[in-house]
Amino acid sequence: MSQLPPTLQCHILDTGYCLVWEHHLIQGGQRRQIACHSLAALLCHPRHGWLLWDTGYAPRMLDVTEHFPFSLYRRATPLHLDPALSVAAQLRRWQLRAGDIQRIIISHFHADHIAGLRDFPEAAFIASEAAYNDIASRRGLRALLRAFIPALLPDDFTRRATLLPAFTGQPLLALGATHDLFGDGSLLLVSLPGHARGQMGLLAHTERGRILFAADGCWLRRSIYERRPPSHLSNLVVDDARAVRATINRLHDFAQACGDVVTIPSHCPEAFAQEVEAEHDKS
Ligand SMILES: [Zn+2]
Ligand SMILES: [Zn+2]
């Protein structure tokens, strides 16, 4: 591309956390529980307006996990939520309303990434076709096995969704084919298979440089630095354990080659400390 892509405003939002054993998140991790926040991002494109990368948790997570079998979800990941942390509530910091959000990009359909979707009745959704097809008809235990809670999906989801087929755009080093969302190079979607069927990552050209939103391609940045995968136990809940390791290696190779890019996995405590806590301290 001859022209530099436009840059987006970018704000990283914490939507709450659950406690997880570190040695489950990464091989060689300690036997201690750590807070895994669910991060979302609020972005503003100079021509296409406001959009979200995922919506993280929202208070309705507590309602939809009240009864069996979804109560097992809450038992597996004890939730610490605060209504003030829902993305919809946080928009007030920028004098925005839910209706100002034009689009929501959904990395994958795990409950901790889509719990806020119903707060945005006018937004269009962008997701991968493979991710949606994998969960669309699942109910009850079959949904829970995919960490998917059907009640979180808006009733008119398919009417508002653009489902992307396998990407065929200009490849990114190590990460492979892309989908250029606005055709201007500012937001490039990439495929991050393994953790969940059809999972996407997003390389965003922001006012503070390039950011790779890695979703759950790994849980901790340390996995990328050290090419260290999650514990074998986590293989029970992922779509394809071999692809999880391959994706971590690809994220490693990309990070090595592109030292300017900040990688933000959705639940990494180090990313939370740098992107959310440090920003609060400044303001
Ligand atoms: Zn996930
Ligand atoms: Zn997640």
Side-chain angles (χ1 to χ4, degrees):
M1 189 172 301
S2 54
Q3 259 188 331
L4 280 177
T7 53
L8 290 90
Q9 251 187 71
C10 174
H11 310 281
I12 311 295
L13 309 181
D14 168 36
T15 65
Y17 69 94
C18 67
L19 292 172
V20 188
W21 291 98
E22 190 185 77
H23 66 283
H24 289 172
L25 297 176
I26 189 165
Q27 287 181 16
Q30 294 181 37
R31 287 182 179 273
R32 58 167 185 168
Q33 283 195 310
I34 58 174
C36 275
H37 292 258
S38 192
L39 303 179
L42 171 66
L43 299 151
C44 186
H45 186 283
R47 270 193 54 219
H48 299 280
W50 293 95
L51 66 150
L52 295 172
W53 166 252
D54 284 340
T55 58
Y57 291 124
R60 69 174 60 77
M61 274 299 285
L62 298 176
D63 305 325
V64 300
T65 55
E66 198 167 340
H67 301 294
F68 185 84
F70 298 106
S71 51
L72 297 174
Y73 185 103
R74 214 197 295 182
R75 202 178 301 173
T77 61
L79 302 170
H80 295 260
L81 306 182
D82 174 347
L85 289 180
S86 74
V87 170
Q90 293 193 58
L91 291 181
R92 290 184 209 120
R93 277 162 55 196
W94 293 276
Q95 284 82 49
L96 296 173
R97 295 160 181 271
D100 293 319
I101 302 297
Q102 315 266 311
R103 296 173 181 81
I104 300 174
I105 308 172
I106 300 167
S107 65
H108 63 303
F109 286 87
H110 285 173
D112 51 330
H113 297 253
I114 65 163
L117 292 185
R118 282 185 180 272
D119 294 329
F120 300 94
E122 293 160 51
F125 303 120
I126 296 152
S128 92
E129 193 174 58
Y132 179 71
N133 287 346
D134 187 48
I135 51 91
S137 64
R138 289 176 179 264
R139 297 291 178 269
L141 269 174
R142 287 187 68 244
L144 183 68
L145 285 170
R146 288 287 193 273
F148 171 60
I149 301 178
L152 294 175
L153 216 55
D155 301 333
D156 59 353
F157 180 84
T158 49
R159 186 181 64 75
R160 291 194 275 148
T162 300
L163 298 174
L164 304 172
F167 303 155
T168 54
Q170 188 85 28
L172 269 179
L173 190 129
L175 295 179
T178 57
H179 176 78
D180 186 343
L181 191 61
F182 294 133
D184 60 8
S186 63
L187 291 175
L188 300 176
L189 290 161
V190 294
S191 171
L192 297 177
H195 169 76
R197 189 83 49 90
Q199 178 178 243
M200 304 190 299
L202 174 70
L203 181 65
H205 287 251
T206 78
E207 291 173 347
R208 41 170 281 214
R210 293 197 293 171
I211 296 178
L212 176 63
F213 293 99
D216 294 357
C218 62
W219 281 307
L220 308 182
R221 276 183 184 158
R222 205 177 128 207
S223 277
I224 302 175
Y225 307 147
E226 301 176 12
R227 301 164 63 116
R228 192 190 288 268
S231 78
H232 294 296
L233 192 69
S234 73
N235 290 350
L236 297 172
V237 294
V238 303
D239 180 47
D240 179 343
R242 192 177 296 184
V244 167
R245 291 192 294 275
T247 286
I248 286 173
N249 289 338
R250 290 163 58 221
L251 289 168
H252 172 90
D253 293 348
F254 178 76
Q256 290 283 101
C258 304
D260 64 299
V261 176
V262 174
T263 304
I264 302 186
S266 296
H267 308 300
C268 174
E270 182 188 291
F272 166 75
Q274 286 174 4
E275 302 292 340
V276 180
E277 284 188 317
E279 287 303 306
H280 273 284
D281 291 347
K282 274 190 226 161
S283 58

